[in-house]
């Protein structure tokens, strides 16, 4: 029989409460769903098995990484079509709804976990409510029959190992950073391009990715008021692009710190090749261990997301202590909208398992508040949300262009992780589910004097 796709479409409509928004092709060659647009391809029954054994986002992510699920057509369009159904509704648009009402289709499936083969004891209330519906019970039986759930599939090897102990200790942070960044410098060259800047670019009409990344680095330098002879600390310096730009174009002396050995080796080599080794010092060092302040300026670009909510106050106070009076901090950081119940916030399962282990996002207001509590005076905030969507789409295009090389340098699963992560993130920024902001703060020279000019935004001239 070749009826797997129609059965899956009917099952999905029962659980999601809406028509299937994309075409489905199953392992038996059957198809169902809209005749046009992208197609979700289930290569084998193991794709369903993964969702049964780990209902929710992580099960789908494992199927994608392992190649059990693929997409024919535009990945961005497919993700855009299914996002509103598969993930939780935006609480901002329905603040009055009860959690059970706002629960997504994946949430409904997760509620069934106690009745799946591993008997996980979660979601009891949701399970009871859902299983009172005869259609839901029938859908579950059909899913189990289609999946043939034994044996339980092992997670793909690209998944980060389970971590124990307190969050954001020095050793745990080193492991998390290594998982993400020590993938291979050549792989990142194919994705990021010659600039090797792994953060939101600053776009203008007609700009290339290289133009936009150069303009972002220059924007940061101008906001920090860099000039010859000053000392700059670049926290989370990556492959050295900011450090090299500041030293080359503004004549400053730069200390860059990273926890990634591969990044440090690469950045040091670039500094030597450009004749900047006497002005650029790249260290494998935790920012908490930097003791040679004061610095005149600090740049932190795309690093604070790794700090964690519990450690953010320590982060802010540490950077404040490393600045000279009148010194400036430029904090470039991804943000999320505030949650009506901040205690309920949890890290995205896919991101935590495959991309940024232990990474956490905070609302902009939380970041600004912690900087102020540390003694900073916040002088400017610039939102660059749309710029990150453009940046991520450019990275996706480069990854797809260099797909064979990326797979050879890492693994098919690792390349698929980066493709899904960047495409989904692009849509997150474009639809306002994510933001990114540059916060310029100063350590006041005195109680009444910031040391900044009356007209601050001269960098935009």
């Amino acid at each position: 029989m070749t009826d797997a796709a129609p059965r899956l479409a009917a099952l999905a409509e029962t659980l999601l409460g809406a028509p299937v928004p994309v075409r489905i092709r199953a392992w038996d060659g059957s198809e169902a769903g809209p005749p046009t647009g992208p197609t979700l391809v289930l290569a084998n029954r193991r794709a369903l098995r993964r969702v049964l054994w780990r209902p929710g986002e992580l099960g789908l992510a494992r199927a994608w990484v392992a190649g059990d699920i693929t997409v024919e057509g535009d990945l961005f369009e497919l993700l855009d079509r299914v996002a509103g159904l598969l993930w939780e509704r935006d609480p901002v648009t329905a603040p009055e709804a009860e959690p059970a009402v706002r629960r997504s289709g994946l949430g409904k499936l997760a509620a069934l976990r106690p009745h799946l083969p591993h008997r996980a004891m979660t979601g009891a209330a949701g399970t009871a409510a859902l299983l009172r519906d005869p259609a839901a019970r029938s859908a579950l039986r059909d899913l189990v029959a289609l999946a043939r759930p034994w044996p339980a599939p092992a997670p793909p090897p690209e998944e980060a190992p389970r971590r124990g102990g307190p969050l954001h200790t020095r050793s745990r942070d080193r492991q998390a950073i290594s998982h993400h960044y020590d993938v291979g410098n050549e792989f990142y060259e194919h994705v990021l391009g010659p600039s090797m800047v792994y953060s939101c670019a600053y776009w203008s009409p007609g700009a290339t990715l290289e133009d936009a990344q150069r303009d972002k680095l220059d924007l940061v330098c101008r906001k920090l008021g860099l000039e010859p002879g000053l000392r700059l600390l670049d926290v989370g310096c990556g492959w050295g692009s900011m450090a090299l730009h500041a030293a080359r174009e503004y004549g400053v002396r730069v200390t860059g710190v990273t926890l990634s050995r591969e990044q440090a080796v690469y950045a040091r080599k670039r500094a030597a090749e450009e004749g900047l080794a006497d002005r650029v010092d790249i260290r494998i060092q935790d920012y908490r261990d930097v003791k040679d302040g004061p610095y005149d300026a600090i740049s932190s670009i795309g690093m604070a997301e790794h700090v964690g909510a519990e450690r953010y106050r320590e982060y802010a106070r540490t950077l404040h202590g490393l600045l000279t009076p009148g010194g400036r901090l430029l904090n470039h950081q991804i943000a999320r909208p505030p949650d009506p119940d901040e205690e309920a916030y949890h890290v995205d399962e896919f991101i935590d398992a495959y991309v940024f282990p232990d990474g956490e996002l905070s609302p902009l207001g939380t970041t600004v508040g912690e900087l102020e509590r540390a003694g900073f005076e916040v002088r400017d905030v610039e939102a660059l949300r749309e710029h990150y969507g453009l940046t991520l789409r450019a990275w996706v295009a480069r990854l797809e262009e260099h797909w064979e090389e990326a797979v050879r340098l890492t693994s098919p699963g690792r390349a698929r992780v980066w493709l899904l992560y960047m495409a989904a993130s692009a849509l997150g920024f474009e639809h306002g589910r994510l933001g990114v902001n540059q916060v310029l703060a100063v350590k006041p020279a005195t109680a009444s004097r910031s040391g900044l000019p009356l007209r601050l935004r001269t960098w935009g001239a």
Side-chain angles (χ1 to χ4, degrees), residues 142-158:
D142 203 22
L143 180 60
V144 171
L146 274 172
R148 298 176 186 170
W150 290 276
E158 291 80 10

Side-chain angles (χ1 to χ4, degrees), residues 33-103:
T36 60
T39 300
L40 182 69
V41 181
L42 284 76
N44 48 58
R45 297 179 191 272
R46 191 168 54 248
L48 300 183
R49 212 172 290 150
R50 290 188 184 280
V51 176
L52 274 173
W53 281 89
R54 186 60 193 231
E57 180 178 327
L58 187 57
L60 281 174
R62 286 173 172 174
W64 168 265
V65 175
D68 300 326
I69 291 176
T70 60
V71 171
E72 287 185 5
D74 190 329
L75 176 61
F76 287 101
E77 183 182 353
L78 183 137
L79 291 174
D80 208 17
R81 288 190 184 191
V82 304
L85 291 175
L86 292 186
W87 284 276
E88 289 184 354
R89 308 290 194 265
D90 182 354
V92 174
T93 63
E96 74 288 348
E98 292 296 326
V101 176
R102 298 203 314 267
R103 187 183 296 275

Side-chain angles (χ1 to χ4, degrees), residues 5-294:
R7 289 167 67 187
L8 284 170
L11 184 155
E13 289 185 9
T14 299
L15 291 177
L16 299 175
V20 175
V22 297
R23 191 154 188 81
I24 298 173
R25 181 184 305 141
W27 57 90
D28 61 358
S30 62
E31 297 189 15
T36 60
T39 300
L40 182 69
V41 181
L42 284 76
N44 48 58
R45 297 179 191 272
R46 191 168 54 248
L48 300 183
R49 212 172 290 150
R50 290 188 184 280
V51 176
L52 274 173
W53 281 89
R54 186 60 193 231
E57 180 178 327
L58 187 57
L60 281 174
R62 286 173 172 174
W64 168 265
V65 175
D68 300 326
I69 291 176
T70 60
V71 171
E72 287 185 5
D74 190 329
L75 176 61
F76 287 101
E77 183 182 353
L78 183 137
L79 291 174
D80 208 17
R81 288 190 184 191
V82 304
L85 291 175
L86 292 186
W87 284 276
E88 289 184 354
R89 308 290 194 265
D90 182 354
V92 174
T93 63
E96 74 288 348
E98 292 296 326
V101 176
R102 298 203 314 267
R103 187 183 296 275
S104 68
L106 286 181
K108 291 178 181 178
L109 186 56
L112 296 172
R113 291 181 68 181
H115 295 265
L116 299 180
H118 59 319
R119 307 293 297 177
M121 297 304 293
T122 58
T127 300
L130 194 60
L131 292 185
R132 283 194 292 270
D133 181 356
R137 293 197 302 271
S138 176
L140 176 60
R141 286 194 297 269
D142 203 22
L143 180 60
V144 171
L146 274 172
R148 298 176 186 170
W150 290 276
E158 291 80 10
E159 187 166 314
R162 295 183 65 86
R163 305 170 298 283
L167 285 170
H168 302 294
T169 61
R170 284 165 172 76
S171 61
R172 183 158 169 169
D173 280 353
R174 280 194 299 271
Q175 293 172 18
I177 292 297
S178 178
H179 175 85
H180 186 78
Y181 292 105
D182 292 340
V183 176
N185 294 329
E186 194 176 349
F187 169 81
Y188 276 105
E189 286 178 336
H190 285 306
V191 176
L192 305 179
S195 72
M196 288 297 280
V197 180
Y198 192 24
S199 55
C200 174
Y202 192 57
W203 294 85
S204 56
T208 65
L209 176 61
E210 293 307 299
D211 294 335
Q213 290 292 15
R214 182 199 62 238
D215 289 348
K216 189 274 298 300
L217 296 177
D218 211 58
L219 178 68
V220 172
C221 290
R222 295 198 305 273
K223 287 184 176 184
L224 288 172
L226 299 184
E227 57 187 41
L230 296 183
R231 294 185 74 206
L232 169 68
L233 174 63
D234 187 27
V235 179
C237 66
W239 293 272
S241 301
M242 173 63 192
L244 296 174
H245 185 88
R248 183 196 321 114
E249 305 297 332
Y250 289 84
V252 299
R253 290 172 292 139
V254 188
T255 297
V257 296
T258 176
L259 295 178
S260 167
R261 185 170 298 278
E262 289 194 21
Q263 286 184 335
V265 170
Y266 190 96
R268 289 166 183 164
K269 184 173 182 289
R270 294 176 74 188
E273 290 173 346
E274 292 195 31
L276 295 171
D278 60 331
R279 279 184 279 163
V280 176
D281 176 24
I282 302 296
R283 305 173 185 170
I284 303 173
Q285 186 177 35
D286 193 293
Y287 75 94
R288 291 166 285 193
D289 296 326
V290 176
K291 305 298 181 185
D292 62 345

Side-chain angles (χ1 to χ4, degrees), residues 433-448:
R433 294 190 291 269
L434 294 170
V436 62
N437 307 282
Q438 288 191 349
V439 178
L440 179 65
V442 63
K443 179 177 181 176
T446 67
S448 60

Side-chain angles (χ1 to χ4, degrees), residues 324-328 375-377 379 442-454:
T324 189
R328 303 183 193 182
F376 282 105
E377 183 179 345
R379 298 300 301 245
V442 63
K443 179 177 181 176
T446 67
S448 60
R449 183 172 172 269
S450 70
L452 295 179
L454 285 175

